[in-house]
Amino acid sequence: QKEVEQDPGPLSVPEGAIVSLNCTYSNSAFQYFMWYRQYSRKGPELLMYTYSSGNKEDGRFTAQVDKSSKYISLFIRDSQPSDSATYLCAMIPTNAGKSTFGDGTTLTVKP
Amino acid sequence: DVKVTQSSRYLVKRTGEKVFLECVQDMDHENMFWYRQDPGLGLRLIYFSYDVKMKEKGDIPEGYSVSREKKERFSLILESASTNQTSMYLCASSLGRELPGEQYFGPGTRLTVT
């Protein structure tokens, strides 16, 4: 069983919809949680970075971490066609080891 | 802005060739990483380095080696390329103990081995 499981998708939504992207994990040592966005034929870029439980908001994006359930989510409000990409969750323990990535969810936002 | 550059966007090599993939970062980052990305398999870590001349095996190091002679440069070497090494290769760097996990990726090299 993988340490990090990500909803596989693909996901297709109309413009303006609220999108929820989700990952679960099994390693309770994970303390830092990241979301990366990867456009086609590009490298991933860091979108959100959170530490431990709680919510973090940045514009239309909200990252949510529930450590008790070992569950993280990325919400996108008022989704735009430019949000069409693959979203990767990632997490890392406190002692700065290597990150563990989810397999990614491909999102398409239709105009 | 952090910039991570990779020597080639597309590369075609023959089976058995020695292949060098170069990665350079310009932000004085301590850590550098090499991943491959394949459909259905996600990002898999090949090797990483915490410091100059230091390297650690990742999840799939077989068939690969690395070199980090200077802090800003991390090279991935395929000693004898095989068709199952056809993939997208991504280099990344991160600052170090501060903000662990905050990685900056290069644009990727799509390698085809024929």
Side-chain angles (χ1 to χ4, degrees), chain A residues 34-47:
Chain A
M34 289 74 68
W35 285 95
Y36 290 84
R37 177 176 61 195
Q38 185 176 21
Y39 291 116
S40 182
R41 295 186 178 79
K42 305 270 187 177
E45 58 178 331
L46 185 66
L47 194 60

Side-chain angles (χ1 to χ4, degrees), chain A residues 4 6 36 44 88-91 99-103, chain B residues 35 43 101 103 105:
Chain A
V4 177
Q6 185 167 359
Y36 290 84
L88 300 157
C89 65
M91 42 202 81
S99 296
T100 301
F101 285 82
D103 288 347
Chain B
Y35 296 90
L43 270 175
Q103 295 186 26
F105 284 84

Side-chain angles (χ1 to χ4, degrees), chain B residues 68-81:
Chain B
R68 195 168 179 200
E69 296 296 319
K70 293 185 177 181
K71 191 175 186 179
E72 68 271 19
R73 188 180 297 270
F74 193 35
S75 302
L76 180 70
I77 303 151
L78 286 67
E79 296 290 342
S80 178

Side-chain angles (χ1 to χ4, degrees), chain B residues 14 19 21 28-29 31 36 38 63 74 77 80 88 94 107:
Chain B
R14 294 194 181 277
V19 181
L21 302 182
D28 202 35
H29 280 178
N31 304 333
R36 62 178 285 176
D38 302 285
F74 193 35
I77 303 151
S80 178
M88 168 71 98
S94 70

Side-chain angles (χ1 to χ4, degrees), chain B residues 8-104:
Chain B
S8 306
R9 292 301 307 274
Y10 300 94
L11 210 51
V12 180
K13 295 292 182 180
R14 294 194 181 277
T15 301
E17 278 193 82
K18 191 168 186 176
V19 181
F20 293 88
L21 302 182
E22 304 284 338
C23 176
V24 177
Q25 50 93 4
D26 67 357
M27 282 299 291
D28 202 35
H29 280 178
E30 300 290 331
N31 304 333
M32 296 188 76
F33 307 83
W34 274 108
Y35 296 90
R36 62 178 285 176
Q37 188 175 34
D38 302 285
L41 296 175
L43 270 175
R44 292 182 290 169
L45 182 63
I46 303 171
Y47 268 97
F48 58 107
S49 169
Y50 286 137
D51 202 350
V52 176
K53 296 190 187 296
M54 293 185 69
K55 59 186 178 185
E56 297 281 344
K57 291 181 180 179
D59 300 318
I60 52 162
E62 296 78 19
Y64 303 94
S65 62
V66 290
S67 172
R68 195 168 179 200
E69 296 296 319
K70 293 185 177 181
K71 191 175 186 179
E72 68 271 19
R73 188 180 297 270
F74 193 35
S75 302
L76 180 70
I77 303 151
L78 286 67
E79 296 290 342
S80 178
S82 63
T83 54
N84 63 12
Q85 293 178 310
T86 292
S87 186
M88 168 71 98
Y89 289 87
L90 289 160
C91 175
S93 71
S94 70
L95 183 60
R97 298 196 183 279
E98 302 83 15
L99 301 175
E102 187 175 299
Q103 295 186 26
Y104 294 86

Side-chain angles (χ1 to χ4, degrees), chain A residues 66-82:
Chain A
D66 182 348
K67 290 195 70 187
S68 62
S69 303
K70 297 190 178 65
Y71 191 88
I72 69 170
S73 298
L74 177 70
F75 298 97
I76 307 174
R77 290 186 300 279
D78 187 25
S79 56
Q80 302 295 308
S82 59

